[in-house]
Amino acid sequence: MNLQQTNIRETLVSQLSFFDEQLTLFLDRYLPASDDVRIARERRNTKAFIERYMFKLENFLQQNSGSGDRICPDFAFIGSTVTVLYDDGQRESYTLCFPEDSDPDNDCISFISPLGSQLLMAVKGSQVTIVTPGQITNVTITDVLYNR
């Protein structure tokens, strides 16, 4: 296993540990518990979304525990840079990050932002429909890279 593979593996394991130990605190910080039905629903949906992400990471790590073939997951994960091809031919790259590391001016977007949550777990080569206020756009995931 080379250094990059080790770093990816350590990153994914670290994320799993973080969410396993801190999921409730994470939700409390970004989606505090509320009696408001919409906020409560958003909190439940975000929790389920993160649990799906954890499941995907666990499966990837189990399937690639002894494999030197796979350097990087073929799906977008926190810390990866995702390149998308828009229908108009424009390419954009976004690095998925934790909310506190978000820097939209440098294309670092939170994985719980509207765009980030639609890209997280998207598989290289797949088409994704991105829904933003007032717009629905189809994109193709052309690459998933890990640059750390």
Side-chain angles (χ1 to χ4, degrees):
M1 190 177 297
N2 68 29
L3 182 58
Q4 184 180 18
Q5 289 169 302
T6 302
N7 288 341
I8 290 172
R9 183 168 197 72
E10 287 174 3
T11 295
L12 300 180
V13 169
S14 174
Q15 289 175 22
L16 278 172
S17 295
F18 172 79
F19 286 125
D20 190 47
E21 297 168 5
Q22 309 271 336
L23 181 55
T24 300
L25 292 173
F26 179 85
L27 292 170
D28 287 346
R29 181 171 183 188
Y30 295 104
L31 291 164
S34 172
D35 291 335
D36 183 287
V37 173
R38 291 173 301 164
I39 294 171
R41 182 178 54 235
E42 181 69 20
R43 183 180 167 99
R44 278 192 313 274
N45 289 345
T46 300
K47 181 177 188 241
F49 173 69
I50 292 171
E51 288 170 343
R52 281 194 313 275
Y53 177 66
M54 292 171 65
F55 182 75
K56 190 161 185 91
L57 292 183
E58 288 170 352
N59 282 342
F60 175 80
L61 290 168
Q62 285 175 355
Q63 292 172 359
N64 295 282
S65 62
S67 170
D69 299 331
R70 206 152 193 199
I71 294 173
C72 186
D74 65 349
F75 61 89
F77 58 96
I78 300 169
S80 67
T81 299
V82 183
T83 303
V84 299
L85 176 64
Y86 288 89
D87 285 342
D88 65 4
Q90 179 183 354
R91 284 187 196 276
E92 291 286 334
S93 294
Y94 305 99
T95 300
L96 300 177
C97 63
F98 281 91
E100 60 271 16
D101 299 323
S102 180
D103 183 0
D105 291 336
N106 289 309
D107 298 320
C108 288
I109 58 172
S110 168
F111 78 94
I112 60 172
S113 70
L115 178 58
S117 64
Q118 293 174 84
L119 292 177
L120 188 71
M121 296 183 277
V123 177
K124 182 178 176 178
S126 68
Q127 289 215 309
V128 176
T129 301
I130 303 292
V131 180
T132 57
Q135 190 172 359
I136 297 174
T137 307
N138 292 315
V139 300
T140 301
I141 307 300
T142 61
D143 213 351
V144 177
L145 299 171
Y146 183 69
N147 300 319
R148 296 213 175 155

